[in-house]
Amino acid sequence: MRVYVPLTLPGLAEAYKTGEVGAGPLVAYAVTPALREWYLSDDIEELEYAALSRAALASLRLLAADPGAPRRRVVVAVDVPDGQASAEPGRGLDPAALGEVRVAGAVALAKVASVHVDAAETEADVAAAAEALQAADAGDDDAQFVVDGAEDHELLWYATQEIPNLVGLGD
């Protein structure tokens, strides 16, 4: 099963240093039955993109909680055994939890299929969105517009071999 784990650049650097993505259980996003029902599509690529987008929003939440992290959303795509990721019972239809799964235990960095990161030129929009997130959650339409502005930026795809360069540890 492909899951999308939200991170920050410091979180990605830590994963690179330790060889593991988080200590587990990890919050991730995947194509769950609730996400399928909400998205109303049978196209697996569209559903995977929806799960990736949910993880990108969760990465934005991590940035809002860590003002020292570079203002770039990070999502790692990881392949885990089907039984290792499960949706929390009772949260399946909660709009805030669509696609959310828990991954039991840490995930080896070797299981990462790809990394998705905002381009450097999006940092101002992502910073504004992280700052506006709490007001958007409270129903402020102007703040939601700012958050949506960051979500309009596509995350760039990187191979796992590029992680050292992304986190400033490359040659």
Side-chain angles (χ1 to χ4, degrees):
M1 166 184 254
R2 169 85 30 113
V3 299
Y4 298 91
V5 180
L7 292 175
T8 61
L9 283 173
L12 183 62
E14 183 65 20
Y16 180 71
K17 287 178 192 172
T18 64
E20 292 184 335
V21 179
L26 297 173
V27 173
Y29 294 81
V31 178
T32 62
L35 185 70
R36 282 180 188 275
E37 185 177 326
W38 171 74
Y39 202 73
L40 299 174
S41 175
D42 290 330
D43 184 328
I44 191 63
E45 287 184 15
E46 287 181 18
L47 291 165
E48 293 279 348
Y49 183 77
L52 172 70
S53 297
R54 302 293 294 174
L57 178 59
S59 176
L60 184 63
R61 292 187 183 289
L62 294 174
L63 291 174
D66 183 2
R71 308 282 90 181
R72 294 169 73 186
R73 298 168 297 164
V74 177
V75 175
V76 293
V78 182
D79 293 317
V80 299
D82 286 345
Q84 193 175 352
S86 60
E88 193 174 319
R91 289 205 57 185
L93 296 178
D94 176 358
L98 284 170
E100 186 177 296
V101 295
R102 299 268 187 251
V103 178
V107 174
L109 191 63
K111 298 289 185 184
V112 172
S114 59
V115 181
H116 306 266
V117 182
D118 276 310
E121 58 268 12
T122 67
E123 286 188 23
D125 288 346
V126 173
E131 211 169 289
L133 194 56
Q134 187 174 8
D137 286 346
D140 183 321
D141 289 338
D142 291 335
Q144 186 61 53
F145 182 78
V146 173
V147 171
D148 291 345
E151 291 177 359
D152 286 343
H153 294 293
E154 298 287 330
L155 297 179
L156 302 177
W157 181 94
Y158 293 92
T160 56
Q161 299 88 329
E162 296 177 274
I163 292 174
N165 292 330
L166 286 169
V167 299
L169 300 172
D171 295 336

